[in-house]
Amino acid sequence: MNHAMDIPHEYVTCLDHVGIAVPDLDSALDFYRSAFGWVNLHQETNEEQGVVEAMVGPADHVPTAGVIQLLAPLNESSTIAKFLEKKGPGLQQMCLRTNNMDALCKHLRDNGVRLLYPEPKRGTGGARINFVHPKDAGGVLLELTEPTSG
Ligand code: MC0
Protein backbone atom coordinates (compact mmCIF):
# COMPACT_ATOMS: atom_id res chain seq x y z
CA MET A 1 0.00 0.00 0.00
CA ASN A 2 1.16 3.52 -0.80
CA HIS A 3 1.31 5.38 2.51
CA ALA A 4 1.87 8.76 0.90
CA MET A 5 -1.85 8.98 0.25
CA ASP A 6 -3.41 12.10 -1.16
CA ILE A 7 -6.73 11.68 0.59
CA PRO A 8 -8.21 14.96 1.83
CA HIS A 9 -7.74 14.80 5.59
CA GLU A 10 -11.25 16.15 6.00
CA TYR A 11 -12.67 12.69 5.18
CA VAL A 12 -11.58 11.13 8.46
CA THR A 13 -12.49 13.37 11.32
CA CYS A 14 -11.86 11.66 14.65
CA LEU A 15 -11.58 8.48 16.66
CA ASP A 16 -15.24 7.49 17.12
CA HIS A 17 -14.84 4.62 19.57
CA VAL A 18 -12.90 1.58 20.63
CA GLY A 19 -14.89 -1.62 20.87
CA ILE A 20 -14.43 -4.10 23.68
CA ALA A 21 -15.87 -7.61 23.58
CA VAL A 22 -17.57 -8.46 26.87
CA PRO A 23 -19.43 -11.57 27.96
CA ASP A 24 -21.88 -9.59 30.11
CA LEU A 25 -22.97 -6.05 29.28
CA ASP A 26 -24.34 -5.14 32.71
CA SER A 27 -21.25 -6.09 34.65
CA ALA A 28 -19.04 -4.24 32.13
CA LEU A 29 -21.26 -1.16 32.51
CA ASP A 30 -20.96 -1.45 36.29
CA PHE A 31 -17.17 -1.44 36.00
CA TYR A 32 -17.02 1.79 33.96
CA ARG A 33 -19.64 3.41 36.23
CA SER A 34 -17.92 2.55 39.49
CA ALA A 35 -14.32 2.98 38.28
CA PHE A 36 -14.68 6.21 36.28
CA GLY A 37 -18.21 7.54 36.81
CA TRP A 38 -18.91 7.00 33.11
CA VAL A 39 -22.47 6.44 31.96
CA ASN A 40 -24.33 4.47 29.33
CA LEU A 41 -24.75 7.11 26.60
CA HIS A 42 -26.57 4.89 24.11
CA GLN A 43 -27.62 1.27 23.95
CA GLU A 44 -29.04 -0.77 21.10
CA THR A 45 -29.29 -4.23 19.64
CA ASN A 46 -27.91 -4.83 16.16
CA GLU A 47 -29.30 -8.16 14.92
CA GLU A 48 -27.29 -8.19 11.72
CA GLN A 49 -24.01 -7.73 13.62
CA GLY A 50 -25.15 -10.13 16.35
CA VAL A 51 -24.49 -7.70 19.19
CA VAL A 52 -25.99 -5.77 22.05
CA GLU A 53 -23.88 -2.67 22.35
CA ALA A 54 -23.54 0.18 24.80
CA MET A 55 -21.62 3.40 24.21
CA VAL A 56 -19.95 4.49 27.43
CA GLY A 57 -18.45 7.87 28.25
CA PRO A 58 -18.64 10.84 30.59
CA ALA A 59 -22.13 12.28 31.04
CA ASP A 60 -20.99 15.58 29.47
CA HIS A 61 -19.42 13.77 26.51
CA VAL A 62 -18.72 15.95 23.46
CA PRO A 63 -19.46 14.42 20.05
CA THR A 64 -15.88 14.44 18.75
CA ALA A 65 -14.42 12.72 21.83
CA GLY A 66 -13.99 8.99 21.38
CA VAL A 67 -16.04 6.68 23.55
CA ILE A 68 -15.92 3.04 24.58
CA GLN A 69 -18.26 0.62 22.88
CA LEU A 70 -19.08 -2.45 24.93
CA LEU A 71 -20.04 -5.34 22.67
CA ALA A 72 -21.86 -8.37 24.05
CA PRO A 73 -22.86 -11.31 21.83
CA LEU A 74 -26.53 -11.75 20.92
CA ASN A 75 -26.13 -15.44 20.15
CA GLU A 76 -23.53 -18.17 19.63
CA SER A 77 -22.95 -17.39 15.96
CA SER A 78 -22.14 -13.75 16.73
CA THR A 79 -18.73 -12.43 15.69
CA ILE A 80 -18.33 -11.33 19.31
CA ALA A 81 -19.11 -14.83 20.62
CA LYS A 82 -16.39 -16.21 18.33
CA PHE A 83 -13.97 -13.49 19.45
CA LEU A 84 -14.65 -14.23 23.14
CA GLU A 85 -14.15 -17.93 22.54
CA LYS A 86 -10.85 -17.46 20.68
CA LYS A 87 -9.29 -14.53 22.52
CA GLY A 88 -11.36 -13.87 25.62
CA PRO A 89 -12.73 -10.47 26.65
CA GLY A 90 -10.78 -7.47 25.39
CA LEU A 91 -10.19 -4.93 22.67
CA GLN A 92 -11.93 -6.15 19.52
CA GLN A 93 -11.85 -3.11 17.25
CA MET A 94 -11.05 0.56 16.81
CA CYS A 95 -13.36 2.84 14.86
CA LEU A 96 -12.60 5.99 12.88
CA ARG A 97 -15.33 8.43 11.89
CA THR A 98 -15.66 9.70 8.34
CA ASN A 99 -17.95 12.24 6.74
CA ASN A 100 -17.60 10.63 3.30
CA MET A 101 -17.76 6.84 3.49
CA ASP A 102 -18.03 6.32 -0.26
CA ALA A 103 -14.99 8.44 -1.09
CA LEU A 104 -13.02 6.87 1.74
CA CYS A 105 -13.86 3.30 0.70
CA LYS A 106 -12.95 4.06 -2.90
CA HIS A 107 -9.69 5.60 -1.80
CA LEU A 108 -8.81 2.60 0.36
CA ARG A 109 -9.73 0.06 -2.34
CA ASP A 110 -7.72 2.04 -4.90
CA ASN A 111 -4.76 1.62 -2.53
CA GLY A 112 -5.25 -2.14 -2.21
CA VAL A 113 -6.80 -2.11 1.28
CA ARG A 114 -9.35 -4.88 1.81
CA LEU A 115 -12.75 -3.89 3.17
CA LEU A 116 -15.00 -6.56 4.63
CA TYR A 117 -18.24 -5.45 2.96
CA PRO A 118 -18.82 -4.56 -0.70
CA GLU A 119 -21.29 -1.93 0.50
CA PRO A 120 -21.58 -0.29 3.94
CA LYS A 121 -23.93 -1.91 6.46
CA ARG A 122 -26.02 -0.47 9.25
CA GLY A 123 -24.19 0.41 12.47
CA THR A 124 -24.82 2.34 15.66
CA GLY A 125 -27.72 4.78 15.42
CA GLY A 126 -28.20 4.03 11.73
CA ALA A 127 -24.62 4.95 10.79
CA ARG A 128 -23.10 3.45 7.64
CA ILE A 129 -20.22 1.16 8.59
CA ASN A 130 -17.52 -0.93 6.99
CA PHE A 131 -14.36 -2.60 8.30
CA VAL A 132 -10.77 -2.78 7.13
CA HIS A 133 -9.48 -6.34 7.44
CA PRO A 134 -7.11 -6.61 10.43
CA LYS A 135 -4.40 -8.01 8.15
CA ASP A 136 -4.41 -4.71 6.24
CA ALA A 137 -4.46 -2.47 9.32
CA GLY A 138 -1.53 -3.62 11.40
CA GLY A 139 -3.42 -6.39 13.20
CA VAL A 140 -6.28 -4.14 14.26
CA LEU A 141 -9.88 -4.65 13.16
CA LEU A 142 -10.52 -1.10 11.97
CA GLU A 143 -14.14 0.00 11.70
CA LEU A 144 -15.15 3.01 9.64
CA THR A 145 -18.37 4.82 10.50
CA GLU A 146 -20.33 7.57 8.85
CA PRO A 147 -22.97 8.70 11.34
CA THR A 148 -26.36 9.84 10.12
CA SER A 149 -26.47 13.59 9.73
CA GLY A 150 -28.10 15.15 12.80
C1 MC0 B 1 -9.82 -11.75 13.78
N1 MC0 B 1 -8.55 -11.35 13.71
C2 MC0 B 1 -8.41 -10.20 14.37
C3 MC0 B 1 -9.70 -9.90 14.86
N2 MC0 B 1 -10.55 -10.89 14.47
N3 MC0 B 1 -7.37 -9.39 14.57
C4 MC0 B 1 -7.57 -8.29 15.30
N4 MC0 B 1 -8.79 -7.94 15.81
C5 MC0 B 1 -9.85 -8.73 15.62
N5 MC0 B 1 -11.03 -8.38 16.13
C6 MC0 B 1 -7.45 -12.02 13.04
C7 MC0 B 1 -7.33 -13.47 13.48
O1 MC0 B 1 -6.53 -13.58 14.63
C8 MC0 B 1 -6.71 -14.13 12.27
O2 MC0 B 1 -5.32 -13.91 12.30
C9 MC0 B 1 -7.29 -13.34 11.11
O3 MC0 B 1 -7.72 -12.07 11.64
C10 MC0 B 1 -8.48 -14.02 10.46
O4 MC0 B 1 -9.30 -14.42 11.50
P1 MC0 B 1 -10.37 -15.57 11.31
O5 MC0 B 1 -10.44 -16.32 12.57
O6 MC0 B 1 -10.11 -16.34 10.07
O7 MC0 B 1 -11.66 -14.80 11.01
P2 MC0 B 1 -12.85 -14.56 11.94
O8 MC0 B 1 -13.87 -15.60 11.63
O9 MC0 B 1 -12.40 -14.39 13.34
O10 MC0 B 1 -13.38 -13.16 11.40
C11 MC0 B 1 -12.60 -12.02 11.53
C12 MC0 B 1 -13.40 -10.86 10.93
C13 MC0 B 1 -14.76 -10.81 11.67
C14 MC0 B 1 -12.58 -9.60 11.14
C15 MC0 B 1 -13.60 -11.11 9.45
O11 MC0 B 1 -14.54 -10.59 13.05
C16 MC0 B 1 -15.69 -9.76 11.14
O12 MC0 B 1 -16.38 -9.95 10.14
N6 MC0 B 1 -15.76 -8.57 11.81
C17 MC0 B 1 -16.56 -7.44 11.36
C18 MC0 B 1 -17.88 -7.38 12.05
C19 MC0 B 1 -17.80 -7.20 13.55
O13 MC0 B 1 -16.71 -7.28 14.14
N7 MC0 B 1 -18.99 -6.99 14.18
C20 MC0 B 1 -19.08 -6.80 15.64
C21 MC0 B 1 -19.04 -5.40 15.97
P3 MC0 B 1 -4.28 -15.11 12.08
O14 MC0 B 1 -2.93 -14.47 12.17
O15 MC0 B 1 -4.59 -16.09 13.16
O16 MC0 B 1 -4.59 -15.64 10.70
S1 MC0 B 1 -20.53 -4.59 15.45
C22 MC0 B 1 -20.18 -2.93 15.43
O17 MC0 B 1 -19.07 -2.56 15.69
C23 MC0 B 1 -21.31 -2.00 15.05
C24 MC0 B 1 -22.54 -2.26 15.88
C25 MC0 B 1 -20.97 -0.53 15.15
O18 MC0 B 1 -19.99 -0.12 15.80
O19 MC0 B 1 -21.71 0.27 14.55
Side-chain angles (χ1 to χ4, degrees):
M1 175 181 161
N2 173 19
H3 285 279
M5 300 196 295
D6 59 352
I7 184 169
H9 67 272
E10 290 89 356
Y11 284 1
V12 184
T13 55
C14 63
L15 175 66
D16 191 90
H17 62 263
V18 293
I20 298 175
V22 302
D24 183 88
L25 199 63
D26 288 336
S27 56
L29 281 166
D30 277 346
F31 169 74
Y32 285 97
R33 200 176 290 125
S34 61
F36 308 117
W38 280 20
V39 299
N40 187 352
L41 298 164
H42 173 85
Q43 185 168 330
E44 71 178 75
T45 296
N46 186 324
E47 301 271 354
E48 185 181 27
Q49 292 293 331
V51 299
V52 188
E53 56 157 307
M55 292 295 195
V56 180
D60 59 353
H61 160 257
V62 291
T64 50
V67 295
I68 291 175
Q69 179 185 48
L70 301 174
L71 292 159
L74 253 190
N75 48 52
E76 282 175 15
S77 58
S78 161
T79 304
I80 298 301
K82 289 183 196 154
F83 183 93
L84 288 169
E85 199 179 296
K86 279 188 200 165
K87 304 192 182 189
L91 200 60
Q92 189 255 351
Q93 56 159 275
M94 184 178 82
C95 179
L96 298 177
R97 192 184 304 168
T98 178
N99 55 25
N100 194 335
M101 178 67 88
D102 294 331
L104 178 59
C105 289
K106 177 178 182 330
H107 172 77
L108 291 170
R109 287 194 180 100
D110 286 350
N111 281 276
V113 177
R114 284 170 295 171
L115 300 177
L116 293 188
Y117 307 141
E119 293 296 332
K121 295 193 180 199
R122 186 195 173 283
T124 310
R128 299 169 76 217
I129 61 167
N130 209 329
F131 292 85
V132 177
H133 194 282
K135 294 292 177 198
D136 287 358
V140 176
L141 176 60
L142 190 57
E143 183 183 354
L144 310 169
T145 185
E146 180 185 59
T148 53
S149 48

